[in-house]
Each structure stands twice: as C-alpha cells, then as structure tokens.
Amino acid sequence: MSQVFGFSGGDDFCTGGSVYANPKDANIFLSLGRSVDFYYPLPKRSRISVSFDLDGDWFEQKQKTSIEALPDECLFEILRRLPAGQARSACANVSKRWLMLLSSISNSEICSNANEKELSDKEGDDLEFGDEGFLSRSLEGKKATDVRLAAIAVGTSHRGGLGKLSIRGSNSDRGVTNLGLKAVARGCPSLKAFSLWNVSTVSDEGLIEVAEGCQKLEKLNLCKCSAISDKALIEVAKKCPNLTELSIESCPQIGNEGLQAVGKLCANLRSVSIKDCTGVGDQGIAGLLTSASVVLRKVKLESLAAVSDLSLAVIGHYGFSVTDLVLNCLPNVNEKGFWVMANGRALQKLTSLTIGSCRGITDAAIVAIGKGCPNVRSFHLSKCAFLSDNGLVSLTKAAPSIESLQLEECHRFTQFGFFGILFNCGAKLKALNVVSCYGIKDLNLALPAGSPCSLTSISICDCPGFGNANLAVLGRLCPRLKHVELSGLAGITDAGFLPLLESSEAGLVKVNLSGCLNLTDVVVISLANSHGWTLEVLNLDGCRNITDASLKAIAVNCPLLSDLDVSKCAITDAGVAALARGKQLNLEILSLSCCSSVSEKSLPAFRKLGNSLIGLNIRHCSAISSRAVGMLVEHLWRCDILC
C-alpha cells in the first residue's frame, strides 16, 4: 500500500475532506478493485443546522433574523436606494408593507447614480414613453383602493409617469383615502389630468398632497366630493399654475373663496364648469371672470341657486374671450340678467350658446342676445317656458350667423314659428333640430312664395303633432336637405313623406325614420330608387310595416349604404339573403334586433355579408339558437356581434 500512497502518518491524514486534490482522481482508486485496503472515515454531518450560543451552561437556540424585523425607517432607506425600473416594481410585489413604503418615496428622495439614470433612460426609450406622462389609468367601484393607487404609482414611475388618473366611486370596505392620494402625489409628479368622482372618504388633506406633488396638473375634475372644501382648491391654485380646465360638481364645501383664488392665481385657465355647488354665488363667478390674468374660453354654470343677474352681467362685461357658454337651471336669473349680459358687448367671440330651464329667457331677452352676440353659430334652447314663436323668428333675423338651432321642450313654439324660422333664416342656417315641442300642430298652411331655404339637415323628434301637411310644406321649402331625421312621428304616412323625397334635389345621405309606425315599403323603395346613389345611413327601427321588399330594393340600388337598422321590422330570412346577394352593397353595420322571423337559415347570408360587416345586432332574434350564434361568432371574428 505504501507503494501506492505515501503519507507521513500524522494527524493530517484524516482532515475531514477529500484525499484527492481533484475529485476526478477517484476513478484511479476505484479501478484498483477490492484488493486495496484503505481507511478513510466519512465526514460527519451536523445534525443541527442552526447557530447556537455557547455562553452559559446550556445551549440556547437563536431565533432566525429577517429583513422584515427592520423598522420602517431603515427599510425606507434601503428601498430608496433601489434603481428605478423593474427592480422597484419587483420589490413592490413582496408585501403590502413594501408596496406602501415604495409608494411613499418621492422622486427627489430616490438615490441614483449616473449609471442607473442611463439605464432608466434606455428603458424609457425602449418603451417609447417620455417624462410628459402619457399613461392613463381609471379605477371604478371595487377596484378603487389605496393599494391599487400605490401599485399604479410605483408601476408607472419608470414608464414616463402617469399622465391621467380617474377615480370613480370607491370600495365600500377598503376605499380610497388620503393615503392613496399621497402615494399618487409621491409617485406621479407628471400627472396632468385628475378626476375624482363620488369619493367621500377623501378630504382636503388628500387633494393638497396631489397639488404639492403634481404641480404639472392641467385638468381637475371633482364630482360629489363632500369632504373637499375651499382650503384644498386654494392650494391647487397656488401649486398648479398650469391649470387649464376646472370642473366642480356637487361639492357643497367649495364656494366663492376657492374660485376667487383660482381666478387670481391660475393664469392659464381656459375652461370652467360649475354644477350644483350650493356655496358658489356671484362673488365666485365674478372672481373667475374679472381677473386680468384669466382668459376663459368655455364657461358652464348649471344648477346654481345662489347665482343671480349679477353673474350674467359680469359675463357680459368681462367675457371677451368666451367662445362657448352654457347656462342651465339658474332659477334666480331673470330677464334683466340676460338683457344686461347681451348688452355688455363683451361676448363678440361667442360662437356656441346653450340655455336651458331658465325662466329669464323671454322673447325680449332672446332678441337682445341675438343682437349682442352677433357671431353665435350654434344655439341650443331647452325648457324655455316663456319663449314663443315671435321671439324665435326675431332671433333668426337678429343673428344671421346662426348655423345650427336646436329647440327642446319649448312648448309655446308652434308650426307658425317653425315655418317662420325657415322663411326668415339667413343663408348660413344649415341645421334645425326640434325635440319634444308639443305646441306644433299639423295644419294646412297657405305660405307665400319665397326663395328656397338653405337648410341641409332637419331633425324632428317626438313631436306628436307634426304630420303629413307640415312635411309636405317642409319639402317645398327645403330642397337642399341631405340629412333627415323624423323619429317618433306616428302621424306621418307614405302620402306625406313621398313629396319630401320628390322635392329633394341634393340627394339624401342620412335618413332616420325610426318609430314612424305607419310608413311602408312604398317609401323605402322610392327612397332607394331616387336617392340610393347617395344614401349612406338608413334607420327604420320600429317601422313594423317594412318587409323584405325594402331590403331587395336596398340591395340593388344603394351601393354606398354602410349602416342599416331594420330592428322590429317584418324582415325574414329571404330579406337577409337578398341583402347578401347585393353585388355592390358594402354594409358595415346591420341591426336586426327583435326580428323574430330571422332564423338560422340566414347564417350563410351573414357569412357572406361578413366580408364587410364590422357590427351585427341580432339581439332578441328568438329563432337563432345559441349554438348558431357561437358558430357565427367564430366565423365572423372581425365583426362585433350583439346577441
């Protein structure tokens, strides 16, 4: 054996390790077979894998140590030294504690060197995000919690930052609080648009945190935030000089003081909307409008009981830059207020005016507005109980620049006012919409001869008194119509609509006859024959007398038709097959809702139409089984199917 192994015979023979410098040399030893007599004690394995304290008479086992034993202050110092990017996001997944600590670290508190900054920049380049904050997040209902806000703040920090955040509602058990907004303030300094709707658990403290941490904020929307007051809005005005849009609704603790601060400090404010805020009155509106630094373009005041004639006088004298004005439900504004506003001569740039549910709108007030706002192009009047035919006709004479006029629930408006507008309107009036005006009656009128009206779009909805006689006169006065909407007019029949088709010279493009129960195939066939070369949209929803004959005429004569609605019509499989055979037809949207006679036999036709369809509505088609719908969904994978 001594010829094979040489050793000194000392204690170094059994060192507890391998006798070979290279473990592969064991192959030499194994090749000697069983004749080799060699002694090598195996190393003993420790039966105790934990450390012991040998002090004292007995062994005392030590407890395992963990990073979780560190206090928040120490863990905070560790986490703020993490490089930006995936490392921080990964650590946020460890526990809720780590997530909340990471979300409490602001950008200024993060320790980073040049190499980390360069790596972060490269990651940003790969993701095509900049520091402007293009990312958008929305939390609604049960998803709106502090933990989710913290995760969003940490997760978006290395992707250019969060640009838009919307919180609607809140989790009833673990809703959004000031702590969640604090995380947003620390982690989202690039936030530009912030909406907070129906979150009563957030107070001034939370919004102040956002104002201090997100000083690039441009758009702020607060709705039903009962715990937010003027204190927070004042801080927003101080910290967010770039604020351009402000919308406040149903916030009872926000009043004049907050709006005055916004008017004084936010020089870039361009749009303001205030609705149902009991604390807002004339002083707040005046503070917004009279400030020399504010150049407001859009103003919306709605459901403000404390606003009086004084506010409208301020708008009329200081609204030099206002282009869009909405005044709805102002119960304490009288005729005098509108008259003073119109005669203030400041609203020369006003192009869009909406007034609703204001008892101060009378014939005299509307005429004054027409004269004082000569550049208004869009006029919308709703629920004006004291407005009559004389005022509306005088308005069209006083304001020749009006291009679009909409009247809704103005019940003193009759057929005389309707045709008076058509006779006296300027050459610029292109669209007239009349909705739910019950004063209109169907009378045979002997109208004097006049030049054709310039109207290209007419919409008459839910006016039960509008019938065939009025429609025939309308056709003679307006030969340039391209868009016709006559919905919910049960009094119209084929005899009334056919003259309108015959007098139209320009070619109809969009036709909506939904709810006209007494129209038949005669109208649709005539429409397809005379205007099929221009028709793009046709809505026959609820026209129960429309049958397959109409679809056959459409398939042959309407090559440009892209949107067809025949819901609740007497359509069968034969009609759908006729559509599919139309060689030039390129339908994109087809609605057959509640067509009970359309069955699974139409599946081949649907597949053929699927070459162009992007939307198909077959809801409540009881003859089509769920199995057939599944096959259709699989085949028409590009089409959005409602079933």
Side-chain angles (χ1 to χ4, degrees):
M1 286 297 296
S2 61
Q3 294 178 356
V4 179
F5 296 101
F7 56 90
S8 60
D11 295 336
D12 58 345
F13 177 69
C14 296
T15 60
S18 174
V19 295
Y20 308 104
N22 186 353
K24 293 182 179 181
D25 293 342
N27 293 331
I28 302 175
F29 170 70
L30 294 174
S31 64
L32 295 177
R34 297 184 178 180
S35 59
V36 179
D37 183 14
F38 176 74
Y39 172 77
Y40 177 69
L42 295 173
K44 294 182 178 180
R45 295 178 59 190
S46 175
R47 296 185 180 181
I48 302 175
S49 59
V50 296
S51 56
F52 288 87
D53 185 1
L54 299 178
D55 296 335
D57 297 332
W58 302 95
F59 292 113
E60 182 179 353
Q61 184 175 350
K62 288 186 177 180
Q63 297 294 328
K64 285 186 177 181
T65 58
S66 169
I67 193 172
E68 291 294 339
L70 292 176
D72 287 349
E73 294 79 8
C74 294
L75 192 56
F76 178 91
E77 291 297 325
I78 295 173
L79 294 178
R80 80 185 187 96
R81 285 167 170 78
L82 289 173
Q86 296 182 354
R88 296 175 61 81
S89 297
C91 288
N93 293 325
V94 172
S95 66
K96 180 180 177 181
R97 180 192 178 202
W98 284 39
L99 171 62
M100 301 309 292
L101 281 173
L102 281 166
S103 66
S104 67
I105 303 172
S106 63
N107 284 359
S108 60
E109 294 172 327
I110 297 176
C111 298
S112 60
N113 53 43
N115 292 333
E116 290 171 358
K117 185 178 185 303
E118 182 179 356
L119 178 60
S120 178
D121 292 341
K122 288 182 179 179
E123 289 182 359
D125 293 340
D126 293 339
L127 293 169
E128 297 183 358
F129 285 106
D131 57 0
E132 296 87 354
F134 296 122
L135 291 176
S136 176
R137 293 290 184 269
S138 178
L139 298 180
E140 297 185 18
K142 295 181 179 180
K143 295 182 179 180
T145 63
D146 287 342
V147 174
R148 283 186 179 270
L149 285 177
I152 288 173
V154 174
T156 60
S157 61
H158 68 287
R159 300 185 181 182
L162 192 64
K164 182 179 180 181
L165 176 62
S166 176
I167 304 172
R168 295 171 177 257
S170 185
N171 190 308
S172 57
D173 298 327
R174 296 170 289 125
V176 172
T177 66
N178 296 329
L179 184 62
L181 293 196
K182 183 177 180 180
V184 172
R186 294 297 184 95
C188 308
S190 59
L191 189 67
K192 291 185 178 181
F194 179 51
S195 297
L196 193 63
W197 288 25
N198 195 21
V199 184
S200 59
T201 51
V202 170
S203 65
D204 289 337
E205 180 186 349
L207 188 57
I208 290 173
E209 288 281 356
V210 172
E212 292 178 349
C214 309
Q215 299 188 9
K216 295 181 179 180
L217 195 67
E218 296 178 359
K219 300 178 182 179
L220 177 62
N221 187 344
L222 303 174
C223 178
K224 297 182 181 180
C225 298
S226 56
I228 293 178
S229 69
D230 283 332
K231 179 181 178 182
L233 193 59
I234 292 172
E235 289 300 315
V236 170
K238 291 179 180 178
K239 302 294 184 180
C240 304
N242 296 325
L243 193 68
T244 60
E245 295 184 18
L246 175 64
S247 179
I248 306 172
E249 179 180 348
S250 301
C251 297
Q253 296 195 53
I254 293 180
N256 297 328
E257 188 178 354
L259 294 182
Q260 288 172 339
V262 171
K264 182 179 180 180
L265 300 173
C266 299
N268 295 313
L269 192 66
R270 296 293 179 267
S271 174
V272 62
S273 175
I274 307 170
K275 179 180 179 181
D276 192 25
C277 294
T278 55
V280 174
D282 294 330
Q283 293 180 351
I285 304 303
L288 283 173
L289 270 296
T290 59
S291 177
S293 61
V294 174
V295 187
L296 280 174
R297 294 193 177 96
K298 295 182 179 181
V299 177
K300 181 179 180 180
L301 306 178
E302 185 172 358
S303 301
L304 301 175
V307 167
S308 68
D309 295 342
L310 179 60
S311 292
L312 267 65
V314 170
I315 294 173
H317 283 82
Y318 293 93
F320 294 101
S321 300
V322 176
T323 60
D324 193 331
L325 178 61
V326 179
L327 304 171
N328 281 333
C329 195
L330 304 177
N332 290 318
V333 175
N334 300 311
E335 180 185 65
K336 180 182 178 180
F338 286 103
W339 189 90
V340 173
M341 181 186 77
N343 287 277
R345 300 298 178 183
L347 298 176
Q348 301 299 303
K349 294 184 179 180
L350 189 66
T351 59
S352 177
L353 178 60
T354 299
I355 303 175
S357 301
C358 293
R359 63 182 183 182
I361 286 294
T362 61
D363 291 345
I366 204 68
V367 173
I369 292 174
K371 294 178 179 179
C373 308
N375 295 309
V376 172
R377 296 195 297 268
S378 177
F379 226 121
H380 182 189
L381 300 170
S382 65
K383 299 180 180 179
C384 298
F386 301 104
L387 190 61
S388 70
D389 294 336
N390 293 333
L392 289 167
V393 174
S394 300
L395 171 65
T396 56
K397 294 178 180 179
S401 61
I402 296 179
E403 298 177 2
S404 175
L405 177 60
Q406 181 170 343
L407 305 173
E408 184 176 354
E409 295 187 43
C410 297
H411 300 307
R412 294 185 66 186
F413 176 65
T414 71
Q415 67 276 6
F416 298 103
F418 179 83
F419 291 111
I421 290 174
L422 299 182
F423 264 104
N424 296 282
C425 68
K428 292 187 177 181
L429 185 62
K430 303 299 180 184
L432 176 61
N433 300 331
V434 182
V435 181
S436 300
C437 293
Y438 297 155
I440 297 178
K441 305 299 180 183
D442 192 35
L443 300 177
N444 291 316
L445 301 177
L447 298 176
S451 59
C453 176
S454 59
L455 212 63
T456 60
S457 175
I458 185 72
S459 176
I460 304 172
C461 303
D462 299 320
C463 297
F466 198 95
N468 290 340
N470 293 334
L471 197 58
V473 177
L474 176 65
R476 292 198 302 268
L477 290 178
C478 305
R480 302 174 185 174
L481 288 175
K482 294 183 178 180
H483 302 165
V484 174
E485 180 178 6
L486 305 172
S487 62
L489 304 183
I492 290 180
T493 65
D494 296 348
F497 194 77
L498 288 176
L500 178 67
L501 293 180
E502 295 171 358
S503 60
S504 180
E505 300 173 355
L508 296 177
V509 177
K510 295 181 180 180
V511 177
N512 183 353
L513 302 175
S514 60
C516 295
L517 306 178
N518 294 313
L519 295 181
T520 69
D521 290 327
V522 175
V523 164
V524 179
I525 293 173
S526 178
L527 175 64
N529 291 334
S530 57
H531 299 275
W533 56 281
T534 58
L535 193 62
E536 297 179 4
V537 178
L538 178 58
N539 188 341
L540 301 170
D541 183 7
C543 298
R544 57 194 178 189
N545 295 320
I546 300 299
T547 68
D548 296 337
S550 293
L551 296 192
K552 293 176 182 178
I554 290 171
V556 175
N557 299 297
C558 302
L560 300 180
L561 191 66
S562 61
D563 189 336
L564 176 62
D565 190 343
V566 287
S567 301
K568 305 183 188 74
C569 295
I571 303 300
T572 68
D573 295 325
V576 179
L579 277 181
R581 288 194 298 268
K583 296 181 179 180
Q584 295 180 332
L585 192 64
N586 290 301
L587 270 181
E588 294 182 355
I589 299 175
L590 175 61
S591 180
L592 296 163
S593 177
C594 299
C595 292
S596 56
S597 297
V598 175
S599 68
E600 299 178 7
K601 294 180 180 179
S602 293
L603 260 61
F606 287 143
R607 291 172 181 172
K608 188 174 181 181
L609 290 170
N611 295 328
S612 60
L613 279 181
I614 59 175
L616 175 62
N617 185 356
I618 51 175
R619 282 181 174 176
H620 307 297
C621 292
S622 55
I624 301 179
S625 65
S626 57
R627 176 178 172 274
V629 171
M631 295 172 58
L632 199 58
V633 170
E634 182 179 354
H635 187 81
L636 303 182
W637 57 272
R638 294 186 306 172
C639 181
D640 185 11
I641 300 177
L642 298 179
C643 55

